[in-house]
Coordinates of all heavy atoms in Angstrom, one line a residue:
Y69 N 39.9 68.2 30.5 CA 39.4 68.8 31.8 C 40.1 70.1 32.2 O 41.3 70.0 32.3 CB 39.4 67.7 33.0 CG 38.4 66.5 32.8 CD1 38.8 65.5 31.9 CD2 37.2 66.5 33.5 CE1 37.9 64.4 31.9 CE2 36.4 65.5 33.4 CZ 36.7 64.3 32.5 OH 35.8 63.3 32.4
V70 N 39.3 71.1 32.4 CA 39.9 72.3 32.8 C 39.4 72.8 34.2 O 38.3 73.2 34.3 CB 39.6 73.5 31.8 CG1 40.3 74.8 32.2 CG2 40.1 73.0 30.4
P71 N 40.1 72.5 35.2 CA 39.6 72.8 36.7 C 39.8 74.3 36.8 O 40.7 75.0 36.4 CB 40.6 72.0 37.5 CG 41.3 71.1 36.6 CD 41.3 71.7 35.3
F72 N 38.9 75.0 37.5 CA 38.9 76.3 37.9 C 38.1 76.5 39.3 O 37.6 75.7 39.8 CB 38.0 77.2 36.8 CG 36.5 76.9 36.8 CD1 35.8 77.7 37.6 CD2 36.0 75.7 36.2 CE1 34.3 77.5 37.6 CE2 34.5 75.5 36.3 CZ 33.9 76.4 36.9
A73 N 38.5 77.7 39.7 CA 37.8 78.2 40.9 C 37.3 79.6 40.7 O 37.9 80.4 40.1 CB 38.8 78.2 42.0
V74 N 36.0 79.8 41.4 CA 35.4 81.2 41.3 C 35.4 81.7 42.8 O 35.0 80.9 43.6 CB 34.0 81.2 40.6 CG1 33.1 80.3 41.3 CG2 33.5 82.6 40.4
T75 N 35.9 82.9 43.0 CA 35.9 83.5 44.3 C 35.2 84.8 44.3 O 35.3 85.6 43.5 CB 37.5 83.7 44.7 OG1 38.2 82.4 44.5 CG2 37.7 84.1 46.1
N76 N 34.7 85.0 45.6 CA 34.0 86.3 45.9 C 34.8 87.0 46.8 O 34.9 86.6 48.0 CB 32.7 86.1 46.4 CG 31.9 87.3 46.8 OD1 32.4 88.5 46.5 ND2 30.7 87.2 47.3
T77 N 35.5 88.0 46.4 CA 36.3 88.9 47.4 C 35.7 90.2 47.8 O 36.3 91.0 48.5 CB 37.7 89.1 46.7 OG1 37.4 89.8 45.5 CG2 38.4 87.9 46.4
G78 N 34.5 90.3 47.4 CA 33.7 91.7 47.7 C 33.1 91.6 49.1 O 33.2 90.6 49.8
G79 N 32.3 92.6 49.4 CA 31.7 92.6 50.6 C 30.3 92.1 50.7 O 29.9 91.6 51.7
G80 N 29.7 91.9 49.6 CA 28.3 91.3 49.6 C 28.3 89.9 49.1 O 29.3 89.3 48.6
T81 N 27.1 89.3 49.0 CA 27.0 87.9 48.7 C 26.4 87.9 47.3 O 25.6 88.8 46.9 CB 25.9 87.3 49.6 OG1 26.5 87.2 51.0 CG2 25.7 85.9 49.1
A82 N 26.8 87.0 46.6 CA 26.3 86.7 45.2 C 25.5 85.5 45.0 O 25.8 84.6 45.5 CB 27.4 86.8 44.2
A83 N 24.4 85.5 44.3 CA 23.6 84.4 44.0 C 23.6 84.0 42.5 O 23.8 85.0 41.8 CB 22.2 84.5 44.5
S84 N 23.3 82.9 42.1 CA 23.2 82.5 40.7 C 24.5 83.0 39.8 O 24.3 83.7 38.8 CB 22.0 83.0 40.1 OG 20.7 82.5 40.7
V85 N 25.7 82.7 40.3 CA 26.8 83.2 39.6 C 27.0 82.3 38.4 O 27.2 81.1 38.5 CB 28.1 83.0 40.6 CG1 29.3 83.4 39.9 CG2 27.8 83.9 41.8
Q86 N 27.2 83.0 37.4 CA 27.3 82.3 36.0 C 28.7 82.4 35.6 O 29.3 83.6 35.4 CB 26.4 83.0 34.9 CG 26.2 82.3 33.7 CD 25.3 81.1 33.8 OE1 24.4 81.1 34.7 NE2 25.5 80.2 33.0
V87 N 29.3 81.3 35.3 CA 30.7 81.3 34.7 C 30.7 80.6 33.3 O 30.1 79.6 33.3 CB 31.7 80.5 35.7 CG1 33.1 80.4 35.2 CG2 31.7 81.1 37.1
I88 N 31.5 81.2 32.4 CA 31.4 80.6 31.1 C 33.0 80.4 30.7 O 33.9 81.2 31.2 CB 30.7 81.4 30.1 CG1 31.4 82.7 29.7 CG2 29.3 81.6 30.3 CD1 31.1 83.3 28.5
A89 N 33.2 79.4 29.7 CA 34.4 79.2 29.2 C 34.2 79.3 27.7 O 33.2 78.7 27.2 CB 34.9 77.8 29.6
E90 N 35.2 79.9 26.9 CA 35.2 79.9 25.5 C 36.5 79.4 25.1 O 37.5 79.8 25.4 CB 34.9 81.3 25.0 CG 33.6 81.9 25.2 CD 33.5 83.3 24.6 OE1 34.5 83.9 24.5 OE2 32.3 83.8 24.5
L91 N 36.5 78.4 24.1 CA 37.6 77.9 23.5 C 37.6 78.4 22.0 O 36.8 78.0 21.2 CB 37.6 76.4 23.6 CG 38.9 75.7 23.1 CD1 40.1 76.1 23.7 CD2 38.7 74.1 23.3
R92 N 38.7 79.1 21.8 CA 38.9 79.7 20.4 C 40.0 79.1 19.7 O 41.1 78.9 20.3 CB 39.0 81.2 20.5 CG 37.9 81.9 21.1 CD 38.1 83.3 21.3 NE 36.9 84.1 21.8 CZ 36.6 85.3 21.9 NH1 37.4 86.2 21.2 NH2 35.6 85.8 22.5
F93 N 39.8 78.9 18.4 CA 40.9 78.4 17.5 C 40.9 79.5 16.4 O 39.9 79.6 15.7 CB 40.6 77.1 17.0 CG 40.9 76.1 18.2 CD1 39.7 75.5 18.8 CD2 42.1 75.5 18.5 CE1 39.8 74.6 19.8 CE2 42.3 74.5 19.5 CZ 41.2 74.1 20.1
Q94 N 42.1 80.0 16.2 CA 42.3 81.1 15.1 C 41.2 82.1 15.1 O 40.6 82.5 14.3 CB 42.3 80.4 13.8 CG 43.4 79.4 13.6 CD 43.3 78.6 12.3 OE1 42.3 78.6 11.6 NE2 44.5 78.0 12.0
G95 N 40.8 82.7 16.4 CA 39.8 83.8 16.7 C 38.5 83.3 16.6 O 37.7 84.1 16.8
K96 N 38.2 82.1 16.2 CA 36.8 81.7 16.1 C 36.4 80.8 17.3 O 37.2 79.9 17.6 CB 36.6 80.8 14.9 CG 35.2 80.4 14.6 CD 35.1 79.6 13.3 CE 33.6 79.1 13.1 NZ 33.4 78.2 12.0
V97 N 35.2 81.1 18.0 CA 34.7 80.3 19.1 C 34.4 78.9 18.7 O 33.5 78.8 17.8 CB 33.6 81.0 19.8 CG1 33.1 80.0 20.9 CG2 34.0 82.3 20.3
E98 N 35.1 77.8 19.0 CA 34.7 76.4 18.6 C 34.0 75.7 19.7 O 33.3 74.8 19.3 CB 36.2 75.7 18.4 CG 37.0 76.4 17.2 CD 36.3 76.0 15.8 OE1 35.8 74.9 15.8 OE2 36.7 76.7 14.9
A99 N 34.2 76.1 20.9 CA 33.4 75.4 22.0 C 33.3 76.4 23.2 O 33.9 77.2 23.4 CB 34.3 74.2 22.5
T100 N 32.0 76.0 23.9 CA 31.7 76.9 25.0 C 31.2 76.1 26.1 O 30.8 74.9 25.8 CB 30.7 78.0 24.7 OG1 29.5 77.4 24.3 CG2 31.1 79.0 23.8
G101 N 31.2 76.5 27.3 CA 30.7 75.8 28.4 C 30.3 76.7 29.5 O 30.8 77.9 29.6
E102 N 29.3 76.4 30.3 CA 28.8 77.3 31.3 C 28.4 76.5 32.5 O 27.9 75.4 32.5 CB 27.7 78.3 30.8 CG 26.3 77.6 30.5 CD 25.4 78.5 30.0 OE1 25.5 79.2 28.9 OE2 24.3 78.6 30.7
Q103 N 28.6 77.3 33.7 CA 28.3 76.6 35.0 C 27.7 77.7 35.8 O 28.1 78.9 35.6 CB 29.5 76.0 35.7 CG 30.1 74.9 34.9 CD 30.8 74.0 35.8 OE1 30.8 74.0 37.0 NE2 31.9 73.2 35.2
Q104 N 26.9 77.3 36.7 CA 26.1 78.3 37.6 C 26.3 77.9 39.0 O 26.2 76.6 39.4 CB 24.7 78.4 37.3 CG 24.0 79.4 38.1 CD 22.6 79.7 37.6 OE1 22.3 79.5 36.5 NE2 21.7 80.1 38.5
F105 N 26.8 78.7 39.9 CA 26.9 78.5 41.3 C 25.7 79.2 42.0 O 25.6 80.3 41.9 CB 28.3 78.9 41.8 CG 29.4 78.2 41.1 CD1 29.9 78.6 40.0 CD2 29.8 76.9 41.7 CE1 30.8 77.8 39.3 CE2 30.8 76.2 41.0 CZ 31.4 76.7 39.9
D106 N 25.1 78.5 42.9 CA 24.0 79.0 43.5 C 24.1 80.2 44.4 O 23.6 81.2 44.6 CB 23.2 77.9 44.3 CG 22.6 76.8 43.4 OD1 22.3 77.2 42.2 OD2 22.6 75.7 43.8
F107 N 25.3 80.1 45.2 CA 25.6 81.0 46.2 C 27.1 81.2 46.6 O 27.7 80.2 46.8 CB 24.8 80.5 47.6 CG 24.7 81.4 48.7 CD1 23.7 82.3 48.5 CD2 25.5 81.4 49.8 CE1 23.5 83.2 49.6 CE2 25.3 82.3 50.8 CZ 24.2 83.1 50.8
L108 N 27.5 82.5 46.5 CA 28.9 82.8 47.1 C 29.0 83.9 47.9 O 28.6 85.0 47.6 CB 29.8 83.1 45.8 CG 30.3 82.0 44.9 CD1 31.0 82.6 43.8 CD2 31.3 81.1 45.7
S109 N 29.1 83.5 49.3 CA 29.4 84.6 50.2 C 30.6 85.3 50.2 O 31.5 84.8 49.5 CB 29.0 84.1 51.6 OG 29.9 83.1 52.0
N110 N 30.9 86.3 50.9 CA 32.2 87.0 51.0 C 33.3 86.1 51.5 O 33.2 85.4 52.3 CB 32.1 88.2 52.0 CG 33.4 89.0 52.1 OD1 34.3 88.8 51.3 ND2 33.4 89.9 53.1

Side-chain angles (χ1 to χ4, degrees):
Y69 291 77
V70 181
F72 71 94
V74 61
T75 304
N76 180 1
T77 57
T81 299
S84 300
V85 178
Q86 189 79 25
V87 179
I88 67 162
E90 293 180 343
L91 182 55
R92 298 177 183 200
F93 292 95
Q94 299 174 348
K96 184 179 176 190
V97 177
E98 296 285 332
T100 61
E102 64 181 66
Q103 292 198 29
Q104 185 169 332
F105 296 90
D106 294 331
F107 195 77
L108 278 176
S109 62
N110 180 11

